[in-house]
Amino acid sequence: MMKPIVLLYIFLYLLFPFHVDAQQQSRETEIRYLSGRGYGATETWEFKISGGRKSGEWGTINVPSVWEQEGYGKYQYGIKFYGKPHPEGIADEIGEYKYEFTVPRDWEKKRVRIVFDGSMTDTEVKINGRSAGEKHQGAFYRFKYDITDLLKYGKENLLEVTVSKESENGSINLAERRADYWNFGGIFRPVFLEALPSRHIDRTAIKAEADGSFSADVFLGNGTSELKVRAVIIDAEEEKKETLEEVVSPGSDRVRLSGTFNDIKQWTAETPNLYHIDFLLYEGNTLLHKVSDRFGFRTIAIKKGEGIYVNGQRVLMKGVNRHSFWPESGRTLNRELNYADVKLIKEMNMNAVRLSHYPPDPEFLDACDELGLYVMDELGGWHGHYDDAVGKKLVREMVTRDLNHPSVIFWSNGNEGGWNTNLDNQFEIWDIQHRPVLHPQQELNGVETMHYRSYGETLEYFRGEEIFMPTEFLHGLYDGGHGAGLNDYWEVMRKHPRSGGGYLWVFADEGIARTDQDGRIDNQGNFGADGIVGPHHKKEGSFYTIKEIWSPVVVTNKEKLPADFDGIFQLENRYDFTNINRCTFEWELARFPEPEDPESGHKTIRKKTVKGPDIAPHTSGEFRIDLPGDWKKADVLYLKALGPQGEELWTWAYTWKIEEPQPAEKTKGTVSLEETKDHYEVTASETRLQIDRKTGKLVQVMQSGKVIDIKNGPRFIAARRGDRTLDGTVDKKAKKGEDRIYKEIAYEEKLQRISAEEKDGEVIVRADYFGPLRKVIWTVKADGTVQLDYEYEYHGVVELVGVSFDYPEEKMKGIKWLGKGPYRVWQNRLRGTALDVWENEYNDPVPGESFIYPEFKGYFNQWQWAVFRTDQGKIRISNANPETYLGVYTPRDGRDALLYTLPQTGIAFFDVIPAVRNKVNATDLVGPSSQPQWIKGAKKHTVYMKFKAN
């Protein structure tokens, strides 16, 4: 029940809306930007730099920007100078800025402040030749000066800013600039003026709990008597929820408003319900000042030994680390880029982000509030940390700027030893909510956050009493990490009662477009190429692996449906707050094109959208679709889960056993066999095969008189990592402890017998061998189709095994195939691909330096056929066993060959493919799916080939 005075205020507010709104608008803080708002929308200032490119002369520069991207100074990657506060050879340019501006004459009665959202790093400010205040130190923080008495109102004013790339304070350099990321210089975030009434609201601090309780501290610019503060709270539907009011005590500089609201909508990452609040400062009935903000009702709690709770519900962080970065602009972003990052993170079905290793642009937090992400907001620190004096100032600046964002649920005090423990108690001084403070890579407040534990070590950490929530794990590099091994880790994390989830490293490759090298993307070797998305945030293969594994709706049916499938799917609801009845499902029956068809992608036969069933969070249930009676005439059934906002969570593909067609009549045509001293030569329908009589391998293919250079196969190949070959022989050249070099099996291939015959209108060439490769049978049909049956037998542990053919890469143009794609897979990253007909153009990027996705080379699963387009023509291969893998050349590693050095293969068919390691842990440490495979007995396979020359 509302108090009578509250009802009166609401009545008056509704009765005089236009008058009040006009009055309020005239009393709002006036903002005037001196710079632009961000990348792509800048203002030109005068500029001079002390060293590096274009030094010593006045020119112009865009603000905000990092000056390296404007053609000034010197590029520098921080870790080169690790641990040294003031090393020799450091890039230590000083930039001088000038900018002339005017302010309205009527601002003379206001308080005027100049605000910097971020400047790297020591910054001195002058207005009209006079200092605005003490030098600011620390790059990633909002700071401001009161310049009321320095301005000329209605006239030109001169702003002068001096920015030092290196700080005089060694602790700032150790915390911010001796790190594993690019260091830049300059005013990289916006600069603006704010004009406030002489009596004004300086800042606010909001605490809104999940039970509807609300309190807010309102800090006043200068206290006086006869002031009162009113707060008007409005929900997203613009229905007024409540009005609170308190009188300011005489001489006080603050007031606390409090109340309890009923029927509130809670904020979570799944339900980002926001409320608008207007804070109104009155003297009597005269409105002096109005400030507005947003907030959400939510409660964060760490229950020791139990978990992390949001609004009373235990939640696992499905998170990623994120830098503020864009190739063309360094750390200068804009609203579009910030919101795009949050949307991509949400698209991976993530619910959390860690802001490594500094506070972000305010717009990024706005996006997290609106779209729903749990945020760990981090004080600068990377092995080194701030000293007490400057650290206290920067904690205050970070917390007072960000505390009203409901998305922020943790404060992080530095990273990996970059914690000044004397600052731990500083956060609660400024934070009315008293959020938990964490130390990434160390236990604090009941949460152990140790980084990059192996799969086995992760199991050991869960034996402790603390909640285990690694703030960095599965360190990405090129195409390794992230999705590779994630399912193994996540199955342990989601099932363990003391798990808090975790944060992958890292969201995006941090490659800078070098303005001194014609825009070349520079990742500083393998240091910056750690992302799930590329430098321009193009999705890599792991993006979709993560999306599938972290889908909050999971269908547990096997991919191969039984003949009597009744349309019932088994669902798991892994949401924390959302019933599946808020989701929708779209099922689709489709057919796949034939290899000769010009188009890619499936053809829809029937599609229908239905509401999700009533399945509460953290429970399971059934979901039924009404399939038509002829559903088996389709090739595939897709089932897509859509979240409450219509976003795709994941799409599953289901197939079934197709009845074998009746044997067709023998193909018309002729086939002939010629025997020479060295070869069997088989001709059928303008296709001619030459098979070596000494090896049984394909030597040459000619079609319509033209050569198609597929040859030297089938060649048996097997390999595993280590200093021993697969027959147990020690490789004396291998380095001690080497775990990344793949060694091929050492064996002597010896032909036992070979024969050829014409039979029933076909030519059959049969080869038998000693060794692992046992049998190869070539059957050439009258229409030019080649059936290849091969058999090999090996007993042992392998990480790659199968057969391969050679085809020159320089003549390869592209591939079209029916199978899972379009991204390649690894043994420990089989999830995240989709069954369809795909096309990839040939590419051969150097990971971390070229950014072309999907990669052409690699391993592809559940393939049924593939058509290779070449300069010479087309090679079509059909597969009788979709459980094998198609190998398309050897994936290229980075120049450092850190992740894998694989045997060179061409077009290949494998039963076992390698896992991929991450930057920190080799494959033997990344979980069960990453381990070598034990094979024994014979493997028998059949493929079909057909050739067409250009």
Side-chain angles (χ1 to χ4, degrees), residues 302 307-309 314-319 321 351-354 374-376 409-412 436-453 458 461-462 466-473 490 493 498-504:
I302 294 176
I308 297 161
Y309 285 76
R314 180 169 171 256
V315 171
L316 300 180
M317 300 298 135
K318 298 185 291 186
N321 287 264
N351 65 2
V353 62
R354 175 187 172 211
Y374 301 122
V375 173
M376 183 184 299
I409 67 168
F410 300 120
W411 302 117
S412 166
V437 178
L438 301 180
H439 285 176
Q441 208 184 47
Q442 186 187 62
E443 187 276 328
L444 183 67
N445 289 324
V447 182
E448 172 60 71
T449 57
M450 191 65 183
H451 293 174
Y452 304 123
R453 297 304 88 189
T458 297
Y461 269 86
F462 279 128
E466 293 81 17
I467 300 159
F468 184 45
M469 184 186 70
T471 38
E472 296 177 25
F473 76 112
W490 189 246
M493 288 177 167
R498 285 191 296 279
S499 174
Y503 299 79
L504 297 167

Side-chain angles (χ1 to χ4, degrees), residues 99-103 128 150-152 155-159:
Y99 184 71
E100 292 185 344
F101 64 96
T102 60
V103 294
N128 297 322
L150 304 180
L151 292 171
K152 301 174 184 177
K155 298 180 181 180
E156 288 287 337
N157 293 272
L158 176 63
L159 168 64

Side-chain angles (χ1 to χ4, degrees), residues 232-242 261-265 273-278 293-295 297:
V232 180
I233 298 169
I234 306 170
D235 65 14
E237 287 73 35
E238 298 188 356
E239 298 176 1
K240 197 170 307 303
K241 297 299 295 186
E242 191 67 272
F261 306 147
N262 298 319
D263 301 322
I264 54 95
K265 296 179 180 178
N273 296 305
L274 291 173
Y275 287 78
H276 180 89
I277 186 166
D278 291 332
D293 209 337
R294 298 185 305 182
F295 70 95
F297 289 95

Side-chain angles (χ1 to χ4, degrees), residues 34 112-116 143-145 147 159 191-193:
L34 302 182
V112 183
R113 299 190 290 212
I114 188 169
V115 183
F116 290 77
F143 60 96
K144 57 185 70 176
Y145 300 101
I147 58 172
L159 168 64
V191 181
F192 57 93
L193 301 176

Side-chain angles (χ1 to χ4, degrees), residues 87-101:
E88 293 184 5
I90 199 82
D92 58 355
E93 311 99 60
I94 297 174
E96 297 178 62
Y97 296 80
K98 291 182 180 180
Y99 184 71
E100 292 185 344
F101 64 96

